Amino acid sequence: MTGQRSNALGQPIGLELADCTPRPVPPRTPMTGRSCTVEPLADTHADALYDAFRDDTEDRIWTYLPNGPYHDRAAFRDWVSEARTRNDPLMHAIVVDGQAVGHASYLRITPASATIEIGFINLSPRLQRTVAATEFQYLMMARAFDELGYRRYEWKCDALNAPSRRAAARLGFTYEGTFRQATHYKGRNRDTAWYSILDTEWPKLKTRFENWLSPDNFDARGTQIRSLQSA
């Protein structure tokens, strides 16, 4: 991109783009890191996911999702069987030590404008507050920016979902505003908070993630030495 421009009438017309070609859709292939693998959701993930999600006996992880909670294994298997066939959202399982312990998706995939969103995130108690809970985010960002060349990476959540909003800020997303009465689900209103990362911001964030994920950032007990924000 070059600097801001004006047309012959003196009107500002914004940045010129060197590449306006549509971006590829995300492939259905695994993304592998040190602590986890992010792989396309499959029927074989259903039982492990169900067991991991049931560790949350209060069903807190389902409050801000449009589906669930599931208290029946067969019903959850049916949901996985349907969800895995979609192209958008494109669901992925987060696998640690061979077991699926959470899921996330690419959605609102818009190759023509080079924008993509991460969402449908559900982390079981086994995944929360682990290195893998951060590394899977890095892997999905790296695919979107480095592999596929997207310009904008979005995060949207219920404006009342304080943990999601804290996570977005920690991961380096910029808050852009709240869409009031954007939708409704589970019989209640949802105002939606919008966040984004731009391709121009990614190189600095990528370095921060890689510094944080480095083995030398963790002591013998696995406790972080530097926070993600300071890495």
Side-chain angles (χ1 to χ4, degrees):
M1 293 190 294
T2 62
Q4 292 286 355
R5 303 173 300 149
S6 297
N7 63 14
L9 301 174
Q11 298 166 310
I13 56 173
L15 297 171
E16 181 179 10
L17 300 182
D19 182 4
C20 297
T21 58
R23 302 313 194 242
V25 297
R28 291 180 178 268
T29 56
M31 295 164 267
T32 302
R34 291 191 184 95
S35 65
C36 67
T37 300
V38 183
E39 53 193 52
L41 186 66
D43 287 333
T44 52
H45 295 128
D47 284 338
L49 272 178
Y50 180 81
D51 291 338
F53 288 156
R54 289 304 302 143
D55 285 351
D56 173 22
T57 58
E58 295 181 319
D59 293 329
R60 287 178 176 270
I61 59 177
W62 298 100
T63 299
Y64 299 108
L65 288 172
N67 63 315
Y70 296 93
H71 299 157
D72 178 82
R73 188 179 298 272
F76 185 73
R77 285 174 176 164
D78 288 344
W79 177 80
V80 169
S81 290
E82 192 277 329
R84 70 173 179 78
T85 66
R86 302 177 195 155
N87 293 320
D88 191 342
L90 179 57
M91 297 291 299
H92 290 74
I94 304 158
V95 178
V96 176
D97 294 331
Q99 297 294 313
V101 289
H103 65 61
S105 73
Y106 291 122
L107 69 159
R108 302 185 191 278
I109 304 164
T110 314
S113 60
T115 64
I116 192 168
E117 180 182 341
I118 184 172
F120 244 112
I121 299 170
N122 197 355
L123 310 185
S124 73
R126 303 178 195 181
L127 181 55
Q128 295 169 16
R129 299 182 180 277
T130 66
V131 173
T134 296
E135 186 169 35
F136 95 84
Q137 297 276 6
Y138 164 76
L139 293 171
M140 294 187 75
M141 289 181 195
R143 168 158 287 180
F145 287 120
D146 294 338
E147 182 179 338
L148 303 176
Y150 278 77
R151 300 180 61 237
R152 175 180 168 86
Y153 191 77
E154 297 180 334
W155 174 297
K156 303 184 183 81
C157 64
D158 191 313
L160 298 176
N161 187 349
S164 183
R165 300 189 70 160
R166 287 194 298 269
R170 173 180 176 270
L171 294 167
F173 286 83
T174 296
Y175 172 65
E176 297 181 327
T178 296
F179 283 36
R180 300 177 299 163
Q181 294 189 187
T183 188
H184 58 85
Y185 64 150
K186 294 183 174 177
R188 63 180 191 264
N189 175 66
R190 170 171 148 161
D191 297 346
T192 297
W194 285 52
Y195 298 80
S196 73
I197 295 171
L198 304 183
D199 56 350
T200 53
E201 299 163 340
W202 170 240
K204 183 176 180 180
L205 284 173
K206 180 180 180 180
T207 298
R208 186 185 299 171
F209 274 105
E210 292 177 348
N211 288 341
W212 187 86
L213 289 165
S214 175
D216 65 13
N217 188 41
F218 298 89
D219 64 21
R221 296 173 297 177
T223 302
Q224 69 175 11
I225 298 169
R226 301 179 302 277
S227 69
L228 182 59
Q229 291 89 337
S230 62

